[in-house]
Amino acid sequence: MEFNDKDKAFQHLLDTIHSYQPEETCEDVKKAYALAEEAHKDQRRVSGEPYILHPLAVAQILAEMQIDTKTITASLLHDVVEDTAYTLEDVQNLFGKEVAFLVDGVTKLSRLDYRTKEDQQLNSMRKMFLAMAKDVRVVVIKLADRLHNMRTLRYMRSDKQKRIAQETLEIFAPLAHRLGIFNIKWELEDLSFRYLEPDKYYDLVDQMKQKRHVREEIVNEAIEILQKALTDSHIQFEINGRPKHFYSIYKKMKKDNRDLSQVYDLYAIRVIVNTVQDCYGVLGIVHSLWKPLPYRFKDYIAMPKPNNYQSLHTTVIGTRGQPVEIQIRTWEMHHVAEYGVAAHWRYKEGNANAGKNEFDEKMGWLRNLLEWQDTSNPKEFVNALKLDAFSDEVFVFTPRGDVIDLPQGAIPIDFAYRIHTDVGHRCVGAKINGKIVPLDYALKNGDIVEIITSKVGKPSLDWLKIVGSSESRSKIRGWFKKENREDNILKGAEALERECKRLGHDWKALDTAGRLARVAKQMNAGSEDDLMAAVGYGGFAVNTVLIKLLELHKKDVQKQEEKSNLATIEKLKPRKTVKRNGTGILVKGEPGLLVRLAKCCSPVPGDPIIGFITRGRGVSVHRADCTNISNSQNDVDRLIDVEWDYGGTETFEVNMEIVAYDRTGIMAEIMAALAEMKISVLSVNAKVNDTKNVTIHLGVSIKDLAQFEFVATKIRRLKDVYTVDRYTGGQ
């Protein structure tokens, strides 16, 4: 249920919370809403509605999952630190460390720290997963946030719709699946499908509508027959038709190259009972009423999925000869199936350890990933999540009957490393179902795997090309890193020098000033030798290290040039006595000189400055780094020392350059922000380029450099603003 009135939306939220929590637990929720409403009061979403409706909608999604009030409190505040003047310290002081941790976990990193938006997104994603390993509620809030954003995605540009939908389908829907939160997973998938493949989506919707009448008749007939049989057996139950989700139907059609009529589980029924014994009783009754389809029975009660999903699935031939899928589960299983790990916080108030052991077991996959994956490389980390944690799974057995889940495409070597790192290192062969197979055999569901080891066995570099798990790849690299360190250091150095020469750079010029050690620190690689060894065994790509090395070289050269230029200017300055002229500038020279600030660089108090004696126009005051001054070294006799004589009341014109995404309302938001800070705007000029970005030049009235930096920071925090800098008109 969506509300356009914030008061009605908040009351509906409280009513939902009160349905499963005592009223006294809502004090922080009320306080958080009041703070969020005040903080977001001047902000609006792209749709034009008040921004506060978004955190309210996110909190409502979580309340419907019956999650604890601390999580709901954090959800109301989840954009406050990122988008308003409130800080994380403010949140901690008002609501405590637990809520502050949750808010920080879902707060994106500032885009100013990164060269590209992709870098920012990947690092924010990594930050979220690191926080999630400590408290899964971080990602539950993020999933609810993403769900509401997807529900309102229609207000975005089409290219942004596709980008967000793709990210949702690749990261957030699989994450909801891994955590067992299926009510969010299905909706995220269907909404993503709608924006990524609109023609196929609406075609499937039309086909489903045409068959709805027949489908409802088939399901209702089956329900009626089953209800009578269960009532006669004195089993307490609830039974209903289960809606099929468009994306899952589309995937099955695409995977098996079928049309809609060939998808078996279009007609679906769900039966919910009180006990596990009743589940198997219902299954027996179902199979006595209808003939089951072979190979379509799955017992997820005896063997739950890794996300703890439990249910019995069977497909039978119904009364009209159509396949009907029937799911049977208990109420507890149903709640876990809908809300996954979030179910552990249903009654968590006052009991910090509720469900802790089960939760730790559920989060083992993420902790393992963090343990063996290099989290300093966000792109590699997110790719590993997609390949391992979010891929389809293969379930195989040890000879003792233990179930091991591996990513699709896993081979016996992956199984060996999952059992133990040493078993993987010493693996020399494998038996599948009692028969010897090659080590590159693709494991299948139900395989019984036995690993053959040898005391002299050791990994091969070729294994890196054939294993299907990032965990295995990381452990293999770790072995080579430890065993062949000296060779790896030599290989890494040779690879870097060779690539440097190929690109036309001087290796000796790059490998100075401790730059390799600085790169090693940037990449969390330890020492310079550790970095070289990592390049040698494939832990870091040669080009990644070389790019960072070139960046440091370029910065060092620029700093040296700037230092040299400033030293030259300082050396050429004449030394004269100081005289005041009453204009806000102290001039060292004759009194009574006319003083003006140069338009080319627009200096303000706080900038290093120097004067230039013009012909007939007095002293022109420039910033010390102004290129016009650097180009005037032939007129060194006309340079004169000047200083700020600033009383704090004068204002100075500064040109500001803002680069932002050209969306509706961006200029209005910038002007509103300046008006709120009481900054006078003297001139405006804007130009849109081919990439749909707008460059805005503003002339503003500023007191000093500190005020400019404050104004620039405020504008940078506006949505879709990329950069804010001083503009010198072609300097």
Side-chain angles (χ1 to χ4, degrees):
M1 187 184 298
E2 293 283 341
F3 289 91
N4 293 321
D5 182 279
K6 62 179 186 295
D7 295 328
K8 287 182 180 178
F10 183 57
Q11 187 56 52
H12 181 58
L13 173 64
L14 291 179
D15 292 342
T16 305
I17 298 171
H18 292 157
S19 69
Y20 67 95
Q21 290 283 7
E23 188 169 347
E24 58 267 21
T25 63
C26 289
E27 289 308 308
D28 271 357
V29 173
K30 294 175 183 177
K31 191 164 69 170
Y33 171 66
L35 187 149
E37 183 186 25
E38 190 277 328
H40 293 301
K41 66 182 177 182
D42 296 324
Q43 297 176 347
R44 291 192 171 270
R45 303 195 82 209
V46 177
S47 61
E49 67 184 13
Y51 194 90
I52 187 62
L53 289 176
H54 170 63
L56 276 170
V58 173
Q60 182 63 39
I61 291 168
L62 295 171
E64 288 167 1
M65 296 165 67
Q66 300 191 348
I67 206 162
D68 66 299
T69 52
K70 285 192 182 296
T71 308
I72 294 172
T73 300
S75 71
L76 288 167
L77 302 169
H78 78 273
D79 279 335
V80 163
V81 174
E82 187 176 327
D83 295 336
T84 77
Y86 284 94
T87 65
L88 198 61
E89 289 75 17
D90 296 332
V91 173
Q92 182 169 320
N93 290 337
L94 290 168
F95 300 97
K97 288 184 178 179
E98 190 175 350
V99 171
F101 178 83
L102 297 176
V103 171
D104 185 44
V106 293
T107 299
K108 282 185 262 185
L109 297 168
S110 168
R111 75 177 53 164
L112 297 175
D113 298 332
Y114 302 100
R115 291 176 300 170
T116 67
K117 193 164 187 176
E118 183 189 19
D119 285 347
Q120 182 224 0
Q121 287 173 326
L122 290 170
N123 277 279
S124 294
M125 198 82 68
R126 177 188 61 171
K127 175 190 174 189
M128 179 186 74
F129 279 107
L130 291 171
M132 171 187 162
K134 297 179 181 176
D135 195 327
V136 75
R137 291 174 295 172
V138 167
V139 87
V140 176
I141 296 171
K142 192 65 181 177
L143 286 172
D145 174 54
R146 178 53 62 107
L147 178 56
H148 185 249
N149 283 335
M150 288 299 295
R151 287 174 178 175
T152 56
L153 198 59
R154 62 187 178 278
Y155 298 108
M156 296 289 186
R157 300 186 327 271
S158 61
D159 62 313
K160 200 165 187 179
Q161 287 174 351
K162 288 188 181 297
R163 180 180 62 77
I164 293 172
Q166 190 68 45
E167 182 183 69
T168 300
L169 202 57
E170 288 182 356
I171 298 290
F172 291 98
L175 182 56
H177 172 85
R178 190 75 198 228
L179 298 178
I181 310 176
F182 287 100
N183 69 325
I184 288 182
K185 178 214 172 179
W186 299 126
E187 191 173 353
L188 288 177
E189 286 185 338
D190 282 354
L191 288 168
S192 299
F193 179 33
R194 173 182 166 188
Y195 288 104
L196 290 171
E197 302 276 4
D199 293 340
K200 293 174 182 175
Y201 173 83
Y202 288 110
D203 179 56
L204 186 57
V205 170
D206 289 340
Q207 290 186 61
M208 293 288 285
K209 281 181 181 177
Q210 291 168 15
K211 296 179 181 290
R212 179 184 295 169
H213 180 67
V214 176
R215 186 171 68 251
E216 287 176 350
E217 284 185 356
I218 293 171
V219 169
N220 289 338
E221 284 178 12
I223 287 176
E224 190 176 334
I225 294 169
L226 188 54
Q227 277 179 329
K228 185 177 184 308
L230 294 178
T231 302
D232 292 345
S233 300
H234 306 292
I235 294 176
Q236 290 186 327
F237 65 92
E238 181 175 300
I239 186 170
N240 49 58
R242 182 176 67 86
K244 287 302 295 178
H245 301 278
F246 295 120
Y247 185 66
S248 71
I249 295 171
Y250 170 70
K251 276 204 305 183
K252 288 179 181 179
M253 291 168 62
K254 187 175 179 182
K255 179 182 176 183
D256 301 326
N257 197 24
R258 298 174 177 175
D259 62 29
L260 191 61
S261 63
Q262 295 174 299
V263 178
Y264 284 145
D265 51 0
L266 276 179
Y267 313 105
I269 295 171
R270 179 177 291 146
V271 183
I272 306 176
V273 294
N274 293 330
T275 67
V276 173
Q277 184 178 350
D278 286 344
C279 289
Y280 288 101
V282 172
L283 178 68
I285 291 169
V286 168
H287 285 177
S288 71
L289 292 171
W290 299 288
K291 184 178 180 179
L293 273 175
Y295 311 114
R296 295 287 299 172
F297 170 64
K298 295 174 184 175
D299 187 346
Y300 293 121
I301 293 179
M303 198 168 74
K305 291 185 178 182
N307 56 27
N308 217 35
Y309 174 87
Q310 289 184 288
S311 191
L312 296 176
H313 291 197
T314 186
T315 303
V316 298
I317 302 298
T319 53
R320 300 193 186 185
Q322 292 285 347
V324 178
E325 184 193 57
I326 299 176
Q327 295 183 354
I328 309 163
R329 62 179 66 152
T330 65
W331 282 105
E332 184 180 354
M333 292 173 192
H334 179 63
H335 194 79
V336 172
E338 292 293 298
Y339 304 128
V341 293
H344 288 299
W345 278 270
R346 188 177 183 185
Y347 302 113
K348 183 177 178 291
E349 298 296 333
N351 182 7
N353 294 316
K356 188 175 187 305
N357 291 336
E358 289 180 72
F359 165 67
D360 286 342
E361 185 180 323
K362 285 172 182 288
M363 296 307 296
W365 64 271
L366 179 62
R367 296 205 176 97
N368 286 340
L369 184 68
L370 295 174
E371 181 181 330
W372 45 254
Q373 184 62 44
D374 174 23
T375 60
S376 67
N377 186 332
K379 191 165 189 174
E380 186 176 329
F381 177 61
V382 173
N383 284 340
L385 280 168
K386 292 180 186 178
L387 290 172
D388 280 11
F390 299 158
S391 67
D392 290 335
E393 294 156 317
V394 174
F395 297 91
V396 295
F397 295 90
T398 69
R400 294 168 55 184
D402 297 325
V403 180
I404 303 291
D405 65 292
L406 293 163
Q408 193 86 38
I411 62 175
I413 296 170
D414 296 300
F415 177 90
Y417 276 111
R418 180 62 62 85
I419 297 300
H420 195 279
T421 302
D422 285 340
V423 174
H425 288 342
R426 294 187 288 111
C427 172
V428 293
K431 289 182 181 180
I432 304 295
N433 307 322
K435 296 180 180 178
I436 292 178
V437 297
L439 284 177
D440 61 355
Y441 167 88
L443 296 175
K444 299 179 179 63
N445 281 318
D447 281 343
I448 300 173
V449 187
E450 183 180 353
I451 298 298
I452 302 168
T453 61
S454 167
K455 290 182 178 180
V456 294
K458 61 182 181 179
S460 163
L461 279 173
D462 291 335
W463 287 7
L464 292 171
K465 301 173 185 176
I466 61 174
V467 291
S469 161
S470 294
E471 175 183 4
S472 307
R473 200 170 289 114
S474 178
K475 289 179 177 179
I476 294 164
R477 285 175 178 160
W479 186 88
F480 281 104
K481 175 182 178 181
K482 182 179 179 181
E483 296 296 318
N484 300 331
R485 178 174 171 80
E486 295 304 320
D487 287 346
N488 287 330
I489 291 172
L490 187 59
K491 285 180 185 176
E494 288 174 350
L496 281 170
E497 191 168 350
R498 187 167 55 250
E499 183 66 8
C500 183
K501 185 177 180 181
R502 189 184 72 80
L503 294 174
H505 297 288
D506 182 358
W507 173 251
K508 289 184 178 180
L510 292 180
D511 186 22
T512 56
R515 291 194 192 108
L516 270 174
R518 288 153 65 190
V519 171
K521 186 176 180 181
Q522 283 181 7
M523 300 180 74
N524 294 326
S527 68
E528 185 176 325
D529 281 351
D530 292 333
L531 177 65
M532 288 297 195
V535 173
Y537 67 76
F540 289 125
V542 173
N543 284 338
T544 301
V545 176
L546 199 55
I547 286 170
K548 291 186 178 294
L549 200 59
L550 286 166
E551 286 176 352
L552 287 178
H553 172 69
K554 184 177 177 182
K555 285 180 182 178
D556 288 346
V557 170
Q558 286 176 343
K559 284 181 182 178
Q560 191 60 40
E561 288 176 351
E562 289 171 5
K563 187 177 179 181
S564 176
N565 289 339
L566 288 173
T568 301
I569 290 172
E570 187 66 29
K571 185 177 179 181
L572 295 173
K573 286 180 185 177
R575 303 295 173 203
K576 301 181 181 177
T577 57
V578 176
K579 296 287 183 181
R580 289 184 181 271
N581 68 356
T583 62
I585 301 289
L586 288 178
V587 181
K588 298 182 179 181
E590 296 297 324
L593 286 176
L594 177 66
V595 176
R596 64 182 181 84
L597 298 177
K599 294 286 185 182
C600 58
C601 55
S602 301
V604 295
D607 286 328
I609 53 176
I610 192 166
F612 184 80
I613 302 171
T614 65
R615 293 183 173 89
R617 298 180 63 191
V619 176
S620 175
V621 178
H622 297 256
R623 281 162 46 189
D625 60 354
C626 178
T627 55
N628 287 337
I629 288 296
S630 299
N631 295 333
S632 302
Q633 292 184 10
N634 291 331
D635 297 316
V636 292
D637 290 340
R638 296 166 65 185
L639 293 175
I640 187 170
D641 280 358
V642 292
E643 295 176 2
W644 291 107
D645 183 21
Y646 177 55
T649 57
E650 300 94 331
T651 59
F652 302 84
E653 181 176 355
V654 175
N655 294 316
M656 178 181 290
E657 181 176 81
I658 302 167
V659 179
Y661 176 71
D662 182 33
R663 62 169 170 82
T664 303
I666 185 68
M667 180 64 85
E669 290 180 21
I670 291 170
M671 299 305 282
L674 290 169
E676 184 182 346
M677 292 181 282
K678 297 182 173 56
I679 299 298
S680 298
V681 178
L682 307 175
S683 62
V684 181
N685 183 33
K687 184 178 181 180
V688 180
N689 63 22
D690 294 338
T691 60
K692 300 294 184 184
N693 288 338
V694 60
T695 301
I696 304 166
H697 291 145
L698 294 176
V700 294
S701 185
I702 297 291
K703 290 181 180 179
D704 54 27
L705 188 60
Q707 188 183 30
F708 173 83
E709 292 298 337
F710 175 78
V711 171
T713 300
K714 282 282 189 180
I715 294 176
R716 286 187 190 110
R717 296 180 73 175
L718 295 176
K719 186 178 180 182
D720 292 325
V721 171
Y722 300 135
T723 60
V724 181
D725 294 298
R726 292 272 289 274
Y727 174 66
T728 55
Q731 260 208 102

